[in-house]
Structures are given as structure tokens and as C-alpha cells.
Amino acid sequence: MARKYIDNPNACSLVHTMNIIGNKWKPIILYLLSNGSMRFGMLNALIPTISKKVLTNQLKELENDGLLLRQSFAEIPPRVEYSLTEKAVGLLPVLKLLSDWANEAYPEMDFEQCRIIENG
Amino acid sequence: MARKYIDNPNACSLVHTMNIIGNKWKPIILYLLSNGSMRFGMLNALIPTISKKVLTNQLKELENDGLLLRQSFAEIPPRVEYSLTEKAVGLLPVLKLLSDWANEAYPEMDFEQCRIIENG
DNA sequence: AATAGTGGTAACCAAAAAGTAACTAATGGC
DNA sequence: GCCATTAGTTACTTTTTGGTTACCACTATT
């Protein structure tokens, strides 16, 4: 009845991944940075509904988890560029699959209409 | 400077996926059900740190999002079996990739040691 | 008559996450 | 001397999420 063995390690690494990227903003941030580095203000402009406080926080966490590189230039006004690390790049194809899955699984949803990111 | 076009639809479907599965418990639930259906009490026993209230809640949301099938049998004491829908089955390989990614990206973490799920 | 077993629900509380608004440092341009 | 600019920070409030305990319905067993 109770199974003899449950694959804890796989569950744990999955949970770990979700702890790192499984929230409201982080996948979007990674997604936006997939084409190259971007400044803080640009990220903030492209995700109009995020507050500066939360964006700062998410970027810090992603940096701590080794997904982002933060480059601060000694200029006035300040300039800070964020870019993906190799770790994060390895995640991109999986994020693409997650997005493909939603398109297939929820064809009734019109993702064309939605606005998370401002078009330039 | 500002890019001309940003692929909103892809970002939106990714966000949608995260809204559905991107939290503390749902990936574990899907993972546990990947080998077949399971009763409420069994899920509760295998995820020892989840409360009944929250488990009920997560199962309901997964059912509403079309990932779980809930079968209630008219017996005393009650029996309720949860199983994955086709939609959810389509997600399993992607969850596996997410878990593989964590193993690769964080080799210093010892996922063998962790205990989310009770071994039988 | 009391208890165990199952899958919940209700009321209540604590903690975490997110939002808001004002503020800062340092410089260039007017 | 004043304002704009950028990447934040701080203090405060609100919202969301999660946790705890007690309880219920219904039957079989003791």
C-alpha cells in the first residue's frame, strides 16, 4: 500500500528550483534579460506594475542565487547593468517549455492580449 | 535604445504557468501523483509539514486549473482519490527538467539528504 | 456508549510578501 | 541656487499566504 521508496532527491531539487524562480516576478526578469543586459530603470519601465522596492529585492535574490550578474558603474547619475549568468542561461529553454505548456494547456486564454511588459 | 518589440505573449504564458504551479506545495503534489492516484490522507502523510487546510486548498486550486481529477467515493469513512489529468501529465517532463537544472546548477547542495517526503 | 477512522470546514492568528510615498547622494545643466 | 537624473533605501500599511486548533458527518468496532 505505502510505496517502499519515494524519490526525495528529485522532489527536493524541484522544490529548490521553485524556491529560486517560482514567484510572481522572477521568471519575467529572467525572460527580459535573455536578450542581453539591462539597466535597473529599463527593467522597471518594462514591468510597469512592479514597485522599485520589490524589483530591487528580486534582483538581489536572483544575484544571491547566482542567476544574475550585477555591474555597477561609477557614474553620476548611477548606472547598474544586470545580466544573466551561465546558470540562468541554462534555465531559459526550460522556461520556454513552461510557457509553451501554458499555450497548449490553456488554448482558451488569449496570451496575445495580455500586458505585463510594455512594448517599445 | 528601447527595443521595438517585446514578446509579451510568451512572458504572459510563462507567468500564467507560474501562477498555477509556482508555489511551495504544488510541484510536490504533482510529483507525488505522477506514479498514480493517491488519497488525501496519503498525500498528507507523505508531505508531513503541510497542514490539512493548506493541502485541501492546494488540491482545490489544482483541480480548478484542470491539473487534478478528484474522485470521491460514497463510503464510510470517506475515500477521495486524486489523480493527474492529461494537462498535468504534459507538465511532468518539464518539472523533471527543472529538477535536473537544480542538480546541475547547485552541485554543492546535497539533495540526497533532504526530507520533504516521508519514505515508506 | 465510546472510540477510531477519513476528509474535510470554520474561526482565528502569525508571518511573509507586496505596495506606497517620501527621501538620499552626487553631479551636470540652466 | 534650483532642478533633473538614477538606483536605490526607509518607514509604514495592506494583502496574501500559511498555520493551529477544534469541530463535523457517518459508520464499524469494542
Side-chain angles (χ1 to χ4, degrees):
Chain A
M1 175 210 190
R3 57 199 64 192
K4 284 280 180 308
Y5 176 68
I6 285 178
D7 190 352
N8 241 308
N10 267 358
C12 287
S13 44
L14 177 55
V15 167
H16 190 242
T17 301
M18 281 303 175
N19 286 342
I20 291 174
I21 59 152
N23 80 349
K24 195 172 173 184
W25 303 115
K26 288 180 186 171
I28 309 180
I29 295 171
L30 297 176
Y31 184 83
L32 284 176
L33 293 175
S34 63
N35 297 324
S37 73
M38 214 180 261
R39 298 178 63 171
F40 181 89
M42 186 68 172
L43 284 166
N44 206 175
L46 291 174
I47 316 175
T49 51
I50 200 174
S51 67
K52 271 204 296 185
K53 191 195 83 172
V54 173
L55 179 55
T56 305
N57 212 351
Q58 304 293 301
L59 290 171
K60 242 180 229 164
E61 288 181 14
L62 286 170
E63 195 194 352
N64 287 341
D65 288 326
L67 297 193
L68 292 192
L69 187 74
R70 179 182 181 278
Q71 264 186 294
S72 171
F73 298 85
E75 301 175 4
I76 297 290
R79 179 160 62 106
V80 179
E81 300 250 358
Y82 291 93
S83 56
L84 299 188
T85 61
E86 280 306 302
K87 236 175 238 196
V89 170
L91 196 54
L92 292 178
V94 191
L95 294 185
K96 179 64 165 55
L97 290 176
L98 286 172
S99 135
D100 291 347
W101 173 81
N103 278 309
E104 257 194 67
Y106 302 93
E108 73 281 8
M109 300 217 48
D110 193 357
F111 295 119
E112 302 291 328
Q113 293 301 319
C114 104
R115 287 279 163 275
I116 291 162
I117 298 165
E118 303 255 349
N119 286 347
Chain B
M1 176 214 192
R3 56 199 64 192
K4 284 281 180 308
Y5 176 68
I6 285 179
D7 191 351
N8 242 306
N10 267 0
C12 287
S13 44
L14 177 56
V15 168
H16 190 242
T17 300
M18 281 305 176
N19 285 343
I20 290 174
I21 60 153
N23 81 346
K24 195 172 173 183
W25 303 115
K26 288 179 185 172
I28 308 179
I29 295 171
L30 296 176
Y31 184 83
L32 284 175
L33 293 174
S34 63
N35 298 323
S37 73
M38 214 180 263
R39 297 178 61 171
F40 180 89
M42 186 68 171
L43 284 166
N44 206 173
L46 291 174
I47 315 174
T49 50
I50 199 173
S51 67
K52 271 204 297 185
K53 192 194 85 173
V54 174
L55 179 54
T56 306
N57 213 353
Q58 304 293 302
L59 291 170
K60 241 180 229 163
E61 288 180 15
L62 286 170
E63 196 195 351
N64 287 341
D65 288 327
L67 297 194
L68 291 192
L69 186 73
R70 181 181 181 276
Q71 264 186 296
S72 170
F73 297 86
E75 299 174 7
I76 299 290
R79 179 161 62 104
V80 179
E81 300 250 358
Y82 291 92
S83 56
L84 300 187
T85 62
E86 280 306 303
K87 234 174 240 197
V89 170
L91 195 55
L92 292 179
V94 190
L95 294 184
K96 178 66 166 54
L97 290 175
L98 287 171
S99 134
D100 291 347
W101 173 81
N103 278 308
E104 257 193 68
Y106 302 93
E108 73 281 9
M109 300 219 46
D110 194 357
F111 295 119
E112 303 290 328
Q113 293 300 321
C114 105
R115 286 280 164 276
I116 292 161
I117 299 166
E118 304 255 349
N119 286 347

